[in-house]
Amino acid sequence: VQLQASGGGLVQAGGSLSLSCVFSGDTFSTYAVGWFRQAPGKDREFVAVNGRSERNTFYADSVKGRFAISRDNAKNTVYLQKNSLKLEDTAIYYCAAGPMSKSPGAYAYWGQGTLVTVSS
């Protein structure tokens, strides 16, 4: 299994950014896909996860109402739409495939990460 994350960049606070994660190497629809982030000097933390159906979607409290995760099984892709970005959203964002979980340790497959920088 391989994951390719993209879409990071520099954005002003209050702005929006969309990340994509393309999955390959197995049957995409059988995996949950999560987004995690890691800021400098901090542990990797859960952001959002989308299970094998749209009903199984969960968010960290810090992004609830601002971020939206979705998947397109026909394109083997998961998206993370980020709105109302804050300075504290600055981090490297990683996508991961595995069982439905908010714990990074539960995921066996990881993308390479994409940097999101929010400026004031």
Side-chain angles (χ1 to χ4, degrees):
V1 171
Q2 290 187 325
L3 299 164
Q4 182 72 37
S6 62
L10 176 65
V11 61
Q12 284 192 322
S16 298
L17 203 62
S18 181
L19 305 182
S20 300
C21 178
V22 180
F23 174 104
S24 63
D26 204 340
T27 304
F28 177 60
S29 61
T30 64
Y31 287 81
V33 178
W35 285 97
F36 296 80
R37 66 187 182 186
Q38 188 164 17
K42 294 187 177 181
D43 293 335
R44 192 167 298 188
E45 65 173 4
F46 167 74
V47 175
V49 60
N50 181 279
R52 290 178 285 173
S53 73
E54 287 295 331
R55 292 172 297 178
N56 291 338
T57 300
F58 300 95
Y59 297 93
D61 288 343
S62 59
V63 307
K64 200 172 293 183
R66 299 189 298 121
F67 290 11
I69 187 171
S70 61
R71 70 191 291 158
D72 185 338
N73 284 337
K75 295 182 178 180
N76 285 5
T77 302
V78 170
Y79 304 96
L80 184 68
Q81 176 64 41
K82 297 149 26 118
N83 301 320
S84 302
L85 283 161
K86 303 176 180 180
L87 297 179
E88 53 263 41
D89 294 320
T90 294
I92 298 174
Y93 284 73
Y94 299 89
C95 58
M100 187 74 170
S101 177
K102 297 179 181 180
S103 172
Y107 291 82
Y109 305 107
W110 290 85
Q112 83 287 6
T114 184
L115 176 62
V116 174
T117 304
V118 183
S119 65
S120 59

